[in-house]
């Protein structure tokens, strides 16, 4: 067995993802279900597997239990290796001290020993909150060929969107001359994707220096990268032009799920680049005599007796007779009882929408200021004949109502939004 | 962990599944949209905590080997025990020939059976589709004090079997009827539990007498052995013809049958293919269908079993069909009562009609 690895990957998976509100009260953002049978972290993990990177550290901090359980030995991503493989790296104590990860750079700093044991040439830093398929080996080749200290993956975004991103200003050879975080007046539309390749020797030096600065926020974007540029290191961009989407908010999570239907936007249906996941052992899905499914994805364990259109259904979802699911994402094990209507909504794991209930609303029939994606949290039951207006987040059970729907807007609105 | 060791006779018996078993054993025939027949029996064992399982092979077992691998998907890739595949070992009595019966097969792996570390063994034919609580059967076997527990079903079950067992009032078997004239009695599934010691003793007797059949060996010992029955009401079946395979497959569209095969807490495990979810295009229609992952459906399907990776193009109409892995149905093609094996490709505008009594099988890899 060859000792040492050319490149190892570190996935920053410690963030809470607080803008996903009720979807991340119990799990870290990378463990949030996505795209019918995946969880967000399947994308960077599968990218690693498909790019021949067999050693991956996952830095966890916020509610790591489900993520630990999910990643396990790493076998679904072919990352159960004799030497290398996947490792979960929570913060730890050292002697009498020890601390939480203060920032992205500090998280890597605290795991320098882990990295050193593989003696890597390069270290790939990834986030755990984006949906994309990327061949990292091309980016590493670009880094190697350019002889760079750091290579940052960028994607061209619309000029109007640029002020929301970290923007790279580059010269004619794609060398980074300046990094601007959320510039008001952007001079470039190359947005950082939060994917970095570093030459480990260089990165180690800058991490140690950054750690010694008492006023540093120990963050790659705001501290380490600017310090490297200022010191005259060679930093280049790697241009990516595929599908890439941040799923940090309810709206973007819903959007990205809907994008799954716009094949080949995100071609997980392709055979040559599979997205791997830990599968539940569920039987094939069943469509009843009166079931109707159109422009939707459905996976194992589902039982469809009603109507499903423009939706993403996860495993073991039941849609009862006469129920309608439109433009929605229904997470594993949720039950849509007969006669319920769910539209423009995210229904989280094992939630129940009882008979006659109506969740969400069509933007056409709603005042644009009041419209948004409705969310029903994990294991919550929306009682019979209850109405959940657009944009609401339901965090606890709603009792059954009489046949006349009761509008629950006032009593529920805003719950779960406090962090 | 269970004190039971599973032995599966994974070679073909006298069933005739025509094209479906041209290149595979019945145990590895695809069934229920994403499984192979053996998955049900293996999962029944694993769900009862059995972690030592041996599968006796004889011929055309390549497909079964490919499916089972090291047994990891059934959590049977273990340091001690786990899944052991027992291919023919041609130094025995039946050099080159097929097994003359279950006992013959067991005798061919005698040294393996001698090393079994569990006190009890479960024996079954690999072509049995069965999902039941095996732990309860073992418990009952130990409690009853019987020498052998024969797992039985009622006459009304889906199982077609040549074995009938007749019981005395004290609950022990008085007679076994094999083949030919079948009188009253319980239907034997060919699945048994007995102590490992008892099995070895029975094997020794047969080695001397030359009896190759397991059932006949039991029948001739019926006065000496206390044979109890345990009646299973869950779905148990064994396809012995293409028509019956088709009929059993269509039974899966019945919610009660599925509930019996897939009860809560007893998952059926199989080899994973890492497929994307199934996509239904605008205008697609599926009614009364069982569909696995990785399919791309633009046309219409009714009363079908659709395996992983199947594509049904626009305008195609598929009724009463079993479409195995990666079948492609071209635009405007009509299929009725057809079984397509793996990787069958049917072009545009074709029509193929079969009948449930004699379903047409389109063999693996055929391009039409």
């Amino acid at each position: 067995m060859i000792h040492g690895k050319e490149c190892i990957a570190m996935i920053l998976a410690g963030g809470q993802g607080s803008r996903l509100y009720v979807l991340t009260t119990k799990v870290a953002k990378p463990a949030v279900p996505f795209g019918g049978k995946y969880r967000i972290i399947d994308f960077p993990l599968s990218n690693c597997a498909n790019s021949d990177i067999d050693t991956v550290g996952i830095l966890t901090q916020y509610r790591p239990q489900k993520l630990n359980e999910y990643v396990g030995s790493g076998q679904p991503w072919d990352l159960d290796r004799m030497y290398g493989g996947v490792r979960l790296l929570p913060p730890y104590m050292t002697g009498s001290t020890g601390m939480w990860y203060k920032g992205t750079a500090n998280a890597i700093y605290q795991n320098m020993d882990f990295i050193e044991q593989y003696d890597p040439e390069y270290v790939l830093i990834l986030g755990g909150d984006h949906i994309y398929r990327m061949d990292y080996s091309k980016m590493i080749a670009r880094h190697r060929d350019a002889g760079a200290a750091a290579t940052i993956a960028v994607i061209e975004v619309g000029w109007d969107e640029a002020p929301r991103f970290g923007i790279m200003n580059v010269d004619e050879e794609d060398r980074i001359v300046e990094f601007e975080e959320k510039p008001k007046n952007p001079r470039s539309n190359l947005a950082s994707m939060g994917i970095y390749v570093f030459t480990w020797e260089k990165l180690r030096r800058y991490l140690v220096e950054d750690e010694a600065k008492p006023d540093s926020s120990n963050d790659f974007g705001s501290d380490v990268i600017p310090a490297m540029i200022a010191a005259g290191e060679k930093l280049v961009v790697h241009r990516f032009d595929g599908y890439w989407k941040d799923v940090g908010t309810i709206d973007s999570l819903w959007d990205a799920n809907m994008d799954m239907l716009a094949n080949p936007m995100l071609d997980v249906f392709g055979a040559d680049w599979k997205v791997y996941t830990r599968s539940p052992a569920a039987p094939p899905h069943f469509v009843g005599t009166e079931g109707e499914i159109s422009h939707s994805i459905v996976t194992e364990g589902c039982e469809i007796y009603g109507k499903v259109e423009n939706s993403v259904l996860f495993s073991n979802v039941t849609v009862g007779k006469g129920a309608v699911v439109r433009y929605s994402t229904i997470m594993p094990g949720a039950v849509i009882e007969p006669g319920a209507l769910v539209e423009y909504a995210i229904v989280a794991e094992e939630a129940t929408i009882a008979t006659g209930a109506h969740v969400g609303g069509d933007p056409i029939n709603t005042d644009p200021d009041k419209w948004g994606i409705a969310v029903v949290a994990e294991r919550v039951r929306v009682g019979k004949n209850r109405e959940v207006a657009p944009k609401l987040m339901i965090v606890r059970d709603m009792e059954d109502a009489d046949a006349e729907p009761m509008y629950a807007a006032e009593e529920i609105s805003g719950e779960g939004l406090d962090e | 962990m269970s004190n039971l060791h599973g032995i599966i006779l994974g070679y073909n018996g006298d069933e005739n599944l025509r094209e479906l078993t041209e290149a595979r054993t019945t145990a590895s025939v695809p069934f229920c949209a994403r499984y192979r027949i053996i998955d049900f029996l293996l999962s029944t064992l694993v769900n009862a905590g059995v972690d030592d399982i041996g599968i006796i092979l004889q011929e055309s077992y390549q497909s079964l080997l490919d499916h089972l691998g090291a047994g990891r998907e059934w959590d049977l890739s273990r340091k001690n025990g786990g899944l052991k595949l027992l291919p023919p070992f041609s130094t025995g009595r039946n050099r080159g020939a097929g097994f003359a019966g279950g006992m013959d097969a067991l005798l061919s792996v005698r040294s393996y059976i001698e090393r079994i570390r569990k006190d009890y063994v479960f024996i079954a034919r690999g072509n049995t589709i069965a999902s039941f609580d095996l732990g309860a059967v073992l418990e009952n076997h130990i409690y009853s004090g019987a020498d052998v527990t024969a797992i039985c079903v009622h006459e009304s079950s889906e199982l077609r079997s040549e074995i009938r067992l007749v019981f005395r009032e004290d609950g022990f078997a008085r007679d076994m009827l094999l083949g030919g004239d079948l009188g009253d009695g319980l239907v034997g599934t060919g699945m048994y539990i007995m102590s490992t010691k008892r099995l070895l003793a029975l094997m020794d007797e047969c080695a001397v007498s030359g009896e190759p059949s397991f059932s006949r060996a039991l029948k001739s010992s019926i006065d000496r052995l206390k044979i109890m029955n345990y009646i299973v009401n869950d779905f148990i079946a064994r396809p012995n013809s293409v028509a019956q395979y088709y009929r059993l497959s269509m039974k899966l569209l019945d919610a009660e049958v599925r509930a019996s095969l897939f009860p809560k807490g007893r998952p059926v495990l199989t080899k994973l293919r890492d497929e994307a979810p199934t996509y239904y295009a605008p205008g697609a229609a599926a009614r009364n269908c069982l569909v696995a992952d990785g399919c791309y459906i633009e046309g219409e399907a009714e009363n079908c079993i659709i395996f992983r990776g199947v594509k049904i193009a626009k305008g195609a109409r598929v009724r009463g069909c079993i479409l195995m892995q990666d079948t492609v149905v071209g635009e405007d093609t009509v299929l009725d009562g057809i079984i397509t094996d793996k990787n069958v490709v049917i072009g545009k505008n074709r029509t193929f009609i079969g009948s449930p009594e004699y379903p047409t099988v389109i063999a693996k890899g055929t391009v039409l």
Side-chain angles (χ1 to χ4, degrees), chain A residues 35 37-38 75 263 268-269 274 276 281-289 291 293-300 303 305, chain B residues 32-35 72 253 258 262 267 269 273-282 284 286-291 293 296:
Chain A
K37 64 184 290 192
Y38 308 100
Q75 186 278 323
N263 193 31
V268 294
F269 301 102
K274 281 188 172 174
Y276 302 104
H285 71 262
F286 178 72
V287 191
T289 317
I293 311 174
S294 169
H295 196 41
S296 295
I297 53 177
V298 180
T299 188
E300 284 153 2
E303 298 264 333
Y305 300 97
Chain B
C32 191
R34 63 185 294 264
Y35 303 97
R72 191 179 43 71
L253 298 173
R258 286 201 308 281
F262 304 102
L269 306 164
R273 280 225 330 181
D274 296 298
E275 294 281 4
T278 282
Y279 173 71
Y280 290 87
R287 282 179 297 274
N288 201 33
C289 288
L290 208 49
V291 188
D293 270 2
Y296 199 90

Side-chain angles (χ1 to χ4, degrees), chain A residues 4-122:
Chain A
K5 300 276 183 188
E6 191 199 19
C7 182
I8 73 168
M10 301 292 273
I11 301 179
L12 300 161
Q16 178 183 356
S18 55
R19 286 172 304 147
L20 286 175
Y21 304 108
V22 300
L23 299 178
T24 51
T25 46
K26 287 183 184 142
V27 300
K29 178 157 68 168
V32 168
F34 176 82
K37 64 184 290 192
Y38 308 100
R39 290 183 188 265
I40 295 169
I41 199 164
D42 285 336
F43 289 81
L45 282 178
S46 299
N47 286 341
C48 285
N50 287 323
S51 307
D52 285 330
I53 292 171
D54 64 9
T55 305
V56 180
I58 301 178
L59 299 127
T60 63
Q61 179 152 286
Y62 173 80
R63 286 209 182 260
Q65 300 89 343
K66 199 149 193 170
L67 199 56
N68 287 350
E69 175 83 28
Y70 183 71
V71 173
S73 68
Q75 186 278 323
W77 305 271
D78 214 12
L79 290 170
D80 52 334
R81 300 298 174 111
M82 298 281 275
Y83 172 58
V86 69
R87 296 288 182 275
L88 287 141
L89 305 166
Y92 56 89
M93 296 295 290
T94 49
S96 58
T97 60
M99 56 187 165
W100 297 106
Y101 296 145
K102 290 182 288 179
T104 52
N106 175 258
I108 303 298
Y109 173 83
Q110 290 202 42
N111 285 287
M112 289 203 300
D113 288 349
F114 168 80
I115 295 170
E116 301 263 78
Q117 66 180 320
Y118 297 105
D119 191 20
E121 199 78 14
Y122 312 112

Side-chain angles (χ1 to χ4, degrees), chain B residues 18-20 22 24 242 321-324 327-329 333-347 350-354 359-368:
Chain B
R18 304 197 327 243
E19 294 90 340
L20 295 179
E22 243 168 35
R24 52 169 91 91
V242 172
C321 290
I322 299 170
L323 307 177
M324 292 187 188
T327 292
V328 177
V329 182
T333 283
V334 176
L335 300 180
D336 195 336
I338 303 286
I339 300 174
T340 60
D341 206 326
K342 281 173 70 174
N343 301 313
V344 165
V345 178
I346 300 170
R350 307 294 299 264
T351 300
F352 293 95
I353 312 286
T360 305
V361 180
I362 301 178
K364 193 169 164 179
T366 308
V367 178
L368 291 169

Side-chain angles (χ1 to χ4, degrees), chain B residues 40 44 130-133 232-236 254-264 266 268:
Chain B
F40 293 88
T44 290
S131 169
F132 59 97
D133 184 357
V232 171
N233 293 312
D234 302 84
F235 184 85
I236 292 184
D254 181 338
E256 269 180 45
V257 170
R258 286 201 308 281
S260 168
L261 273 175
F262 304 102
K264 281 216 157 54
R266 290 213 313 264
V268 180

Side-chain angles (χ1 to χ4, degrees), chain B residues 7 82 90 105 115 160-161 209 224 244 270 290 331:
Chain B
I7 300 173
S90 70
R115 289 196 308 271
R160 299 288 161 271
S161 167
S209 71
R224 294 185 292 117
Q244 220 219 334
T270 189
L290 208 49
E331 271 178 41

Side-chain angles (χ1 to χ4, degrees), chain B residues 6-16 26-28 37-42 45 54-56 64 99 101-103 105-106 122-130 132 159-163 188-192 213-215 236-240:
Chain B
I7 300 173
I8 297 175
L9 311 176
Y11 54 89
N12 283 350
D14 50 8
E15 65 270 20
N16 179 11
T26 309
S28 68
I37 283 176
I38 200 166
D39 291 338
F40 293 88
L41 201 48
L42 272 183
L45 281 153
I55 303 180
I56 303 178
L64 192 61
F99 295 128
M103 188 52 82
L106 291 168
F122 166 78
I123 299 171
R125 294 270 307 276
N127 58 0
T128 314
I129 301 161
F132 59 97
L159 187 76
R160 299 288 161 271
S161 167
E162 303 261 286
I163 306 169
T189 62
M191 294 191 274
Y192 302 98
S213 157
F214 192 82
S215 311
I236 292 184
R238 196 183 286 144
N240 51 23

Side-chain angles (χ1 to χ4, degrees), chain B residues 199-234:
Chain B
L199 174 66
L200 280 163
L202 202 60
M203 285 168 61
D204 284 341
E205 288 165 25
C206 292
V208 174
S209 71
E211 174 58 67
S213 157
F214 192 82
S215 311
R216 280 205 301 273
L218 278 183
K219 183 182 164 81
S220 59
S221 318
I222 208 149
D223 298 327
R224 294 185 292 117
L225 292 179
K226 288 192 272 182
I227 303 178
M228 277 276 296
N229 67 64
Y230 186 97
I231 299 171
V232 171
N233 293 312
D234 302 84

